[in-house]
Amino acid sequence: MSVLEIKNLQVSVITEAGNKEILRGVDLTIKSGETHAIMGPNGSGKSTLAYSIAGHPKYLITGGSVTLDGNDVLEMSVDERAKAGLFLAMQYPVEVPGVSVSNFLRTAVTAIRGEAPKVRTWVGEVKEAMASLNIDTAFSERNVNEGFSGGEKKRHEILQMELLRPKIAILDETDSGLDVDALRIVSEGVNRVKANSDLGVMLITHYTRILRYIKPDFVHVFANGKIVEEGGPELADKLEEQGYAAYITA
Amino acid sequence: MSQLTTNYLTPTGREEAWRFTPLKKLSGIHDLEVSVADNISLFAKSDLPKGVSLTTPNTSDHPPAYAASDIVTNRVRKEAKKTTLITIADNTEIAEPIFLKRKCGPTAEVSRAVIQVGVNSRATVVIENNGAGKLGEEIEISLAAGSSLNFITLQEWDLNSVHLAQHHAIIGKDAQFNSYVVSIGGSTVRISPTVEYTGMGASAEMYGVYFATDEQHLEHRIHVNHSVPNTKSRVNYKGALAGKGAHTVWIGDVYINKGAEGTDTYELNRNLLLTDGARADSVPNLEIETGEIVGAGHASTTGRFDDEQLFYLQSRGIPADIARRLVIRGFFAEIISKLKSEEIEERLMNRIESELSRVGE
Ligand SMILES: Nc1ncnc2c1ncn2[C@@H]1O[C@H](COP(=O)(O)OP(=O)(O)OP(=O)(O)O)[C@@H](O)[C@H]1O
Ligand SMILES: [Mg+2]
């Protein structure tokens, strides 16, 4: 049983023109097995929240705390956070030229599990995970995300999640850019990991579509750098009908 | 070429060809006032296969086959009494690479070598330049019609070594010259891979990898002269730099002369700056005197290490140092993998990684 606790988190983005305040006091607690949907207008700071938890260097934490099972996440280096059990499926996965998917996956799994996976079982494990996400095995030999289509990148993020077995996963618009079939396949992947490992999920999305596959326990409305309303799945339907107008008060 | 006035004088650093090079660090190899030793420094690493010979005849019996403009090349020709001659007989296919090793003396010295590849023959020659040395050298390579040579030089010198060299290839009809220049070690390394074509269908692929750290100067001056019809060249050099005073220079001169219809050429140089305080100069230069060509292009980029890549890898649990290595390995992989030798690939990457870990110490 794991708990990610975000308390009064305040974050600025570091820019050449100076620091710009984005997160203005975010409070959120995610426990194993729970799925929290985060919905909010463009530019409200959802990705900033995701990146800040993962430790991206372009964000400056100006206040508040993030802990995983009581351990201070903000004190950890980026890789330590991943080893502690956090995973971020990125809105825009990064291309890494010259590094093959298979080398990358093996290196990552070795780092997270603390030992190199057994060659025999590893090959099968990757094959199976790829097959279940409908990823052609030819991708193993391609460079990480290089030339992948938008949807292929997203599937590849979930592939990593399956293999790295995190405690808490943040999925930043993993559903954007997926066709109907891919959305189902990716959702099934997330549900499979949830079923196998009691994963806690922060699901950032703009659409209720994915919530039909991955049932949220909680829905949070995110606006202007913080959570402005919380509710159950019914809140997502309300947002779809009424939009965010009620929450955006300048 | 045309600058005879400066060619046979000690360079001052104001000459176009010498403006990037730190003359003070050359141990006098370029300086006609400083004497240089005349040693044989190139040896076969193991028994040579059938059809291959290595001898050391008098230089006067193997006079230069082309006019050189480089001061050091001309000096080598004048000072080296003996030439190391490597011949590969006609119609011979040597599957295993021919390894040559270098053994330099304690003072500045010169070396001249000639490599002759016979008609329709194929071979791979690897020169391992390591240890301590202060070397000025010329290697003249001739490829007879229909032959093919992979010519690999590995500059894995010790920290204080100096190496100034010209590798000149004369490529015959339908012959294929593949050059791989890897420069990692040495305090100052300046290599000029130059090629000319003597028959139609001749082709050159020239690849390079260099990695410069603190105060190291690595310079590569490519010169391709398309003077006969239907010849091809591909140049691709990749360099990475780390640490204060790390300096690399890449010059890519490609000439397509009037008679060289059907020329197909592309040259590329990419540099990766891993830290502040390093400098990569990159000067591609394409001169075209005929419109009847297949293609001609060049590109040069110098970029900083991409922190987003580092973050992505780290966010998957990969520690920063391993992530950085993966990215650098990835950057060089495109070229190093062409060497088709896992042993050399591993050795070079290990050297690059150990250089990297020393940066800023
Ligand atoms: N380098 C920067 N300079 C200025 N503003 C920035 C910079 N980086 C991010 N921002 C701003 O931070 C705000 C929050 O961005 P963020 O990506 O977190 O939004 P988001 O909620 O994820 O939006 P979307 O739904 O479009 O993905 C935006 O207004 C964005 O323009
Ligand atoms: Mg976003």
Side-chain angles (χ1 to χ4, degrees), chain A residues 51 55-56 78-79 82-83 87-88 90 95 97-99 103-104 108 111-112 144-145 157 160, chain B residues 270 306-320 322 326-327 329-331 333:
Chain A
Y51 276 130
H56 194 292
V78 176
D79 54 303
K83 282 181 202 125
F87 181 86
L88 169 60
M90 292 184 202
E95 301 193 359
V99 178
N103 187 12
F104 165 64
I112 296 259
V144 174
N145 292 322
E157 295 289 284
Q160 294 167 51
Chain B
R270 285 189 63 196
D306 186 351
D307 290 333
E308 293 296 328
Q309 291 178 19
L310 195 60
F311 171 72
Y312 188 74
L313 296 172
Q314 275 187 278
S315 77
R316 273 40 176 161
I318 302 172
I322 296 179
L326 268 181
V327 172
R329 216 174 235 269
F331 176 72

Short mmCIF file of all heavy atoms in Angstrom, two decimals, chain A residues 51 55-56 78-79 82-83 87-88 90 95 97-99 103-104 108 111-112 144-145 157 160, chain B residues 270 306-320 322 326-327 329-331 333:
data_model
loop_
_atom_site.label_atom_id
_atom_site.label_comp_id
_atom_site.label_asym_id
_atom_site.label_seq_id
_atom_site.Cartn_x
_atom_site.Cartn_y
_atom_site.Cartn_z
N TYR A 51 5.33 17.10 -14.21
CA TYR A 51 6.78 17.24 -14.33
C TYR A 51 7.43 17.55 -12.99
O TYR A 51 8.55 17.11 -12.71
CB TYR A 51 7.13 18.36 -15.32
CG TYR A 51 7.15 17.93 -16.76
CD1 TYR A 51 6.45 18.66 -17.72
CD2 TYR A 51 7.87 16.82 -17.18
CE1 TYR A 51 6.47 18.29 -19.06
CE2 TYR A 51 7.89 16.45 -18.52
CZ TYR A 51 7.19 17.19 -19.46
OH TYR A 51 7.22 16.82 -20.77
N GLY A 55 10.38 15.60 -11.28
CA GLY A 55 11.67 16.24 -11.02
C GLY A 55 12.31 16.93 -12.20
O GLY A 55 13.54 17.08 -12.26
N HIS A 56 11.52 17.37 -13.17
CA HIS A 56 12.11 18.05 -14.32
C HIS A 56 12.83 19.33 -13.88
O HIS A 56 12.29 20.13 -13.11
CB HIS A 56 11.01 18.41 -15.33
CG HIS A 56 11.55 18.79 -16.67
ND1 HIS A 56 12.27 19.96 -16.86
CD2 HIS A 56 11.52 18.16 -17.87
CE1 HIS A 56 12.64 20.03 -18.13
NE2 HIS A 56 12.21 18.94 -18.76
N VAL A 78 16.02 12.72 -10.09
CA VAL A 78 14.99 12.23 -11.01
C VAL A 78 14.95 10.69 -11.02
O VAL A 78 13.90 10.08 -10.93
CB VAL A 78 15.23 12.78 -12.43
CG1 VAL A 78 14.22 12.20 -13.41
CG2 VAL A 78 15.15 14.30 -12.43
N ASP A 79 16.14 10.08 -11.12
CA ASP A 79 16.15 8.61 -11.20
C ASP A 79 15.75 7.97 -9.87
O ASP A 79 15.13 6.90 -9.85
CB ASP A 79 17.51 8.09 -11.68
CG ASP A 79 18.67 8.60 -10.85
OD1 ASP A 79 18.83 9.83 -10.74
OD2 ASP A 79 19.41 7.76 -10.31
N ALA A 82 12.06 7.62 -9.75
CA ALA A 82 11.58 6.46 -10.52
C ALA A 82 11.82 5.18 -9.73
O ALA A 82 10.97 4.29 -9.68
CB ALA A 82 12.28 6.40 -11.87
N LYS A 83 12.99 5.11 -9.09
CA LYS A 83 13.29 3.91 -8.31
C LYS A 83 12.37 3.79 -7.10
O LYS A 83 12.05 2.68 -6.66
CB LYS A 83 14.75 3.93 -7.85
CG LYS A 83 15.70 3.54 -8.97
CD LYS A 83 17.15 3.54 -8.50
CE LYS A 83 18.06 3.68 -9.70
NZ LYS A 83 18.99 4.81 -9.61
N PHE A 87 6.15 6.94 -11.76
CA PHE A 87 6.29 6.85 -13.22
C PHE A 87 5.49 7.95 -13.87
O PHE A 87 4.35 8.20 -13.50
CB PHE A 87 5.80 5.49 -13.73
CG PHE A 87 5.95 5.32 -15.21
CD1 PHE A 87 7.14 4.88 -15.76
CD2 PHE A 87 4.90 5.66 -16.07
CE1 PHE A 87 7.28 4.75 -17.14
CE2 PHE A 87 5.04 5.54 -17.44
CZ PHE A 87 6.24 5.08 -17.98
N LEU A 88 6.09 8.61 -14.85
CA LEU A 88 5.39 9.64 -15.61
C LEU A 88 5.32 9.25 -17.08
O LEU A 88 6.34 9.14 -17.75
CB LEU A 88 6.12 10.99 -15.46
CG LEU A 88 5.67 12.12 -16.40
CD1 LEU A 88 4.20 12.46 -16.19
CD2 LEU A 88 6.54 13.37 -16.18
N MET A 90 4.66 10.67 -20.39
CA MET A 90 4.72 12.09 -20.76
C MET A 90 3.75 12.46 -21.87
O MET A 90 3.45 11.67 -22.76
CB MET A 90 6.14 12.45 -21.17
CG MET A 90 7.09 12.39 -19.98
SD MET A 90 8.74 12.93 -20.40
CE MET A 90 9.65 12.10 -19.09
N GLU A 95 12.45 12.05 -28.03
CA GLU A 95 13.22 11.19 -28.93
C GLU A 95 14.66 11.10 -28.44
O GLU A 95 15.26 12.10 -28.06
CB GLU A 95 13.21 11.76 -30.35
CG GLU A 95 11.81 11.90 -30.91
CD GLU A 95 11.78 12.17 -32.41
OE1 GLU A 95 12.86 12.28 -33.02
OE2 GLU A 95 10.66 12.25 -32.95
N PRO A 97 17.97 9.80 -30.04
CA PRO A 97 18.63 9.22 -31.22
C PRO A 97 19.76 8.28 -30.82
O PRO A 97 20.48 8.53 -29.85
CB PRO A 97 19.21 10.45 -31.95
CG PRO A 97 18.48 11.62 -31.39
CD PRO A 97 18.07 11.25 -30.00
N GLY A 98 19.88 7.20 -31.55
CA GLY A 98 21.02 6.30 -31.34
C GLY A 98 20.85 5.33 -30.19
O GLY A 98 21.71 4.49 -29.97
N VAL A 99 19.76 5.45 -29.42
CA VAL A 99 19.54 4.51 -28.32
C VAL A 99 18.34 3.63 -28.68
O VAL A 99 17.23 4.13 -28.85
CB VAL A 99 19.27 5.26 -26.99
CG1 VAL A 99 19.00 4.28 -25.87
CG2 VAL A 99 20.45 6.16 -26.65
N ASN A 103 17.65 -1.66 -25.84
CA ASN A 103 18.73 -1.26 -24.93
C ASN A 103 18.19 -0.37 -23.82
O ASN A 103 18.51 -0.53 -22.64
CB ASN A 103 19.82 -0.53 -25.73
CG ASN A 103 21.05 -0.22 -24.91
OD1 ASN A 103 21.21 -0.73 -23.80
ND2 ASN A 103 21.91 0.63 -25.43
N PHE A 104 17.36 0.58 -24.21
CA PHE A 104 16.75 1.50 -23.26
C PHE A 104 15.92 0.76 -22.21
O PHE A 104 16.07 0.98 -21.01
CB PHE A 104 15.88 2.49 -24.05
CG PHE A 104 14.91 3.29 -23.24
CD1 PHE A 104 15.35 4.19 -22.28
CD2 PHE A 104 13.55 3.15 -23.46
CE1 PHE A 104 14.44 4.94 -21.55
CE2 PHE A 104 12.64 3.90 -22.73
CZ PHE A 104 13.08 4.78 -21.77
N ALA A 108 16.76 0.55 -18.25
CA ALA A 108 15.81 1.11 -17.28
C ALA A 108 15.38 0.04 -16.27
O ALA A 108 15.38 0.28 -15.06
CB ALA A 108 14.61 1.69 -18.00
N ALA A 111 18.06 -0.74 -13.83
CA ALA A 111 18.20 0.32 -12.82
C ALA A 111 17.09 0.24 -11.77
O ALA A 111 17.34 0.32 -10.57
CB ALA A 111 18.20 1.69 -13.49
N ILE A 112 15.87 0.02 -12.22
CA ILE A 112 14.73 0.03 -11.30
C ILE A 112 14.70 -1.22 -10.42
O ILE A 112 14.46 -1.16 -9.23
CB ILE A 112 13.41 0.13 -12.10
CG1 ILE A 112 13.37 1.47 -12.84
CG2 ILE A 112 12.20 -0.08 -11.19
CD1 ILE A 112 12.56 2.54 -12.25
N VAL A 144 14.69 5.12 -29.54
CA VAL A 144 13.61 5.51 -28.64
C VAL A 144 12.84 6.72 -29.18
O VAL A 144 13.40 7.80 -29.37
CB VAL A 144 14.18 5.85 -27.24
CG1 VAL A 144 13.08 6.41 -26.33
CG2 VAL A 144 14.82 4.62 -26.62
N ASN A 145 11.57 6.48 -29.47
CA ASN A 145 10.62 7.52 -29.92
C ASN A 145 10.97 8.20 -31.24
O ASN A 145 10.20 9.03 -31.72
CB ASN A 145 10.43 8.61 -28.84
CG ASN A 145 9.71 8.07 -27.62
OD1 ASN A 145 8.79 7.27 -27.75
ND2 ASN A 145 10.14 8.50 -26.44
N GLU A 157 5.01 4.52 -24.03
CA GLU A 157 5.05 4.97 -22.63
C GLU A 157 4.40 3.92 -21.72
O GLU A 157 4.92 3.60 -20.66
CB GLU A 157 4.31 6.31 -22.48
CG GLU A 157 4.94 7.49 -23.20
CD GLU A 157 6.24 7.94 -22.55
OE1 GLU A 157 6.20 8.60 -21.49
OE2 GLU A 157 7.30 7.62 -23.12
N GLN A 160 6.53 0.89 -21.19
CA GLN A 160 7.53 1.12 -20.14
C GLN A 160 6.90 0.96 -18.76
O GLN A 160 7.48 0.38 -17.85
CB GLN A 160 8.14 2.51 -20.27
CG GLN A 160 8.97 2.69 -21.53
CD GLN A 160 9.28 4.15 -21.78
OE1 GLN A 160 9.76 4.85 -20.90
NE2 GLN A 160 8.99 4.61 -22.98
N ARG B 270 28.52 17.11 -37.46
CA ARG B 270 27.68 17.41 -36.30
C ARG B 270 28.54 17.43 -35.05
O ARG B 270 29.36 16.55 -34.83
CB ARG B 270 26.58 16.36 -36.14
CG ARG B 270 25.46 16.52 -37.15
CD ARG B 270 24.31 15.60 -36.79
NE ARG B 270 23.75 15.95 -35.50
CZ ARG B 270 22.97 15.15 -34.79
NH1 ARG B 270 22.67 13.95 -35.24
NH2 ARG B 270 22.48 15.53 -33.63
N ASP B 306 21.31 17.63 -24.98
CA ASP B 306 19.89 17.83 -24.79
C ASP B 306 19.44 17.35 -23.41
O ASP B 306 19.35 16.16 -23.14
CB ASP B 306 19.14 17.07 -25.89
CG ASP B 306 17.65 17.36 -25.84
OD1 ASP B 306 17.20 17.98 -24.87
OD2 ASP B 306 16.95 16.93 -26.77
N ASP B 307 19.14 18.31 -22.54
CA ASP B 307 18.72 17.96 -21.18
C ASP B 307 17.40 17.20 -21.15
O ASP B 307 17.13 16.46 -20.21
CB ASP B 307 18.60 19.23 -20.32
CG ASP B 307 19.96 19.83 -20.03
OD1 ASP B 307 20.95 19.06 -20.01
OD2 ASP B 307 20.04 21.05 -19.82
N GLU B 308 16.59 17.41 -22.18
CA GLU B 308 15.30 16.69 -22.21
C GLU B 308 15.54 15.18 -22.36
O GLU B 308 14.83 14.38 -21.77
CB GLU B 308 14.43 17.19 -23.36
CG GLU B 308 13.94 18.62 -23.21
CD GLU B 308 13.01 18.80 -22.01
OE1 GLU B 308 12.27 17.86 -21.66
OE2 GLU B 308 13.04 19.90 -21.41
N GLN B 309 16.55 14.83 -23.16
CA GLN B 309 16.87 13.41 -23.31
C GLN B 309 17.35 12.83 -21.99
O GLN B 309 16.97 11.73 -21.59
CB GLN B 309 17.95 13.21 -24.37
CG GLN B 309 17.48 13.52 -25.77
CD GLN B 309 18.59 13.36 -26.80
OE1 GLN B 309 19.59 12.71 -26.54
NE2 GLN B 309 18.41 13.95 -27.96
N LEU B 310 18.20 13.61 -21.33
CA LEU B 310 18.72 13.17 -20.04
C LEU B 310 17.57 12.97 -19.04
O LEU B 310 17.50 11.96 -18.34
CB LEU B 310 19.70 14.22 -19.52
CG LEU B 310 20.60 13.81 -18.38
CD1 LEU B 310 21.47 12.63 -18.78
CD2 LEU B 310 21.48 14.98 -17.96
N PHE B 311 16.66 13.93 -19.02
CA PHE B 311 15.52 13.84 -18.10
C PHE B 311 14.68 12.61 -18.41
O PHE B 311 14.27 11.88 -17.51
CB PHE B 311 14.66 15.11 -18.18
CG PHE B 311 13.37 15.00 -17.42
CD1 PHE B 311 13.37 15.00 -16.03
CD2 PHE B 311 12.17 14.83 -18.09
CE1 PHE B 311 12.17 14.86 -15.32
CE2 PHE B 311 10.97 14.69 -17.40
CZ PHE B 311 10.98 14.71 -16.01
N TYR B 312 14.43 12.40 -19.67
CA TYR B 312 13.58 11.27 -20.07
C TYR B 312 14.19 9.96 -19.58
O TYR B 312 13.52 9.14 -18.97
CB TYR B 312 13.42 11.26 -21.58
CG TYR B 312 12.41 10.25 -22.08
CD1 TYR B 312 11.05 10.46 -21.92
CD2 TYR B 312 12.82 9.07 -22.70
CE1 TYR B 312 10.11 9.54 -22.38
CE2 TYR B 312 11.90 8.14 -23.16
CZ TYR B 312 10.55 8.38 -23.00
OH TYR B 312 9.63 7.47 -23.45
N LEU B 313 15.47 9.78 -19.82
CA LEU B 313 16.12 8.54 -19.41
C LEU B 313 16.15 8.42 -17.88
O LEU B 313 15.89 7.36 -17.32
CB LEU B 313 17.54 8.48 -19.97
CG LEU B 313 17.64 8.43 -21.50
CD1 LEU B 313 19.08 8.58 -21.96
CD2 LEU B 313 17.06 7.14 -22.05
N GLN B 314 16.45 9.52 -17.22
CA GLN B 314 16.50 9.49 -15.75
C GLN B 314 15.12 9.20 -15.16
O GLN B 314 15.01 8.53 -14.14
CB GLN B 314 16.99 10.84 -15.21
CG GLN B 314 18.49 10.95 -15.16
CD GLN B 314 18.87 12.24 -14.45
OE1 GLN B 314 18.87 13.31 -15.06
NE2 GLN B 314 19.16 12.16 -13.18
N SER B 315 14.09 9.71 -15.81
CA SER B 315 12.75 9.50 -15.27
C SER B 315 12.35 8.03 -15.36
O SER B 315 11.34 7.62 -14.81
CB SER B 315 11.73 10.37 -16.02
OG SER B 315 11.43 9.80 -17.28
N ARG B 316 13.17 7.24 -16.07
CA ARG B 316 12.93 5.79 -16.12
C ARG B 316 13.90 5.07 -15.19
O ARG B 316 14.15 3.87 -15.35
CB ARG B 316 13.08 5.29 -17.55
CG ARG B 316 11.82 5.38 -18.40
CD ARG B 316 11.02 6.61 -18.20
NE ARG B 316 9.88 6.72 -19.09
CZ ARG B 316 8.85 7.52 -18.86
NH1 ARG B 316 8.79 8.26 -17.75
NH2 ARG B 316 7.85 7.59 -19.70
N GLY B 317 14.47 5.82 -14.26
CA GLY B 317 15.31 5.19 -13.25
C GLY B 317 16.78 5.11 -13.60
O GLY B 317 17.59 4.64 -12.80
N ILE B 318 17.14 5.55 -14.81
CA ILE B 318 18.53 5.43 -15.24
C ILE B 318 19.35 6.57 -14.63
O ILE B 318 19.03 7.74 -14.83
CB ILE B 318 18.61 5.45 -16.78
CG1 ILE B 318 17.75 4.31 -17.36
CG2 ILE B 318 20.05 5.35 -17.26
CD1 ILE B 318 17.59 4.33 -18.87
N PRO B 319 20.40 6.27 -13.86
CA PRO B 319 21.20 7.32 -13.22
C PRO B 319 21.82 8.26 -14.25
O PRO B 319 22.09 7.85 -15.40
CB PRO B 319 22.29 6.55 -12.48
CG PRO B 319 21.79 5.15 -12.37
CD PRO B 319 20.89 4.93 -13.54
N ALA B 320 22.08 9.49 -13.83
CA ALA B 320 22.54 10.53 -14.75
C ALA B 320 23.78 10.12 -15.55
O ALA B 320 23.84 10.35 -16.76
CB ALA B 320 22.79 11.82 -14.00
N ILE B 322 24.95 7.14 -16.37
CA ILE B 322 24.66 6.11 -17.36
C ILE B 322 23.81 6.70 -18.49
O ILE B 322 24.02 6.40 -19.67
CB ILE B 322 23.94 4.91 -16.71
CG1 ILE B 322 24.88 4.25 -15.70
CG2 ILE B 322 23.48 3.90 -17.76
CD1 ILE B 322 24.29 3.07 -14.97
N LEU B 326 24.69 6.77 -22.41
CA LEU B 326 23.79 6.21 -23.43
C LEU B 326 23.61 7.20 -24.57
O LEU B 326 23.64 6.84 -25.74
CB LEU B 326 22.41 5.93 -22.82
CG LEU B 326 22.11 4.56 -22.25
CD1 LEU B 326 20.68 4.52 -21.73
CD2 LEU B 326 22.31 3.47 -23.30
N VAL B 327 23.42 8.47 -24.20
CA VAL B 327 23.16 9.49 -25.22
C VAL B 327 24.41 9.72 -26.08
O VAL B 327 24.32 9.80 -27.31
CB VAL B 327 22.68 10.81 -24.58
CG1 VAL B 327 22.61 11.92 -25.62
CG2 VAL B 327 21.32 10.61 -23.92
N ARG B 329 26.93 7.60 -26.53
CA ARG B 329 27.08 6.37 -27.30
C ARG B 329 26.14 6.40 -28.50
O ARG B 329 26.52 6.08 -29.62
CB ARG B 329 26.70 5.20 -26.41
CG ARG B 329 27.49 3.96 -26.59
CD ARG B 329 27.07 2.97 -25.53
NE ARG B 329 28.22 2.50 -24.76
CZ ARG B 329 28.93 1.42 -25.10
NH1 ARG B 329 28.62 0.71 -26.15
NH2 ARG B 329 29.96 1.06 -24.38
N GLY B 330 24.92 6.83 -28.25
CA GLY B 330 23.92 6.92 -29.31
C GLY B 330 24.33 7.90 -30.39
O GLY B 330 24.16 7.65 -31.57
N PHE B 331 24.90 9.01 -29.95
CA PHE B 331 25.35 10.05 -30.88
C PHE B 331 26.42 9.49 -31.83
O PHE B 331 26.40 9.71 -33.03
CB PHE B 331 25.88 11.23 -30.08
CG PHE B 331 26.46 12.35 -30.91
CD1 PHE B 331 25.64 13.16 -31.67
CD2 PHE B 331 27.82 12.58 -30.92
CE1 PHE B 331 26.17 14.20 -32.43
CE2 PHE B 331 28.37 13.61 -31.67
CZ PHE B 331 27.54 14.42 -32.43
N ALA B 333 27.07 6.25 -32.30
CA ALA B 333 26.78 4.89 -32.79
C ALA B 333 26.68 4.82 -34.31
O ALA B 333 27.20 3.90 -34.94
CB ALA B 333 25.50 4.36 -32.16
#
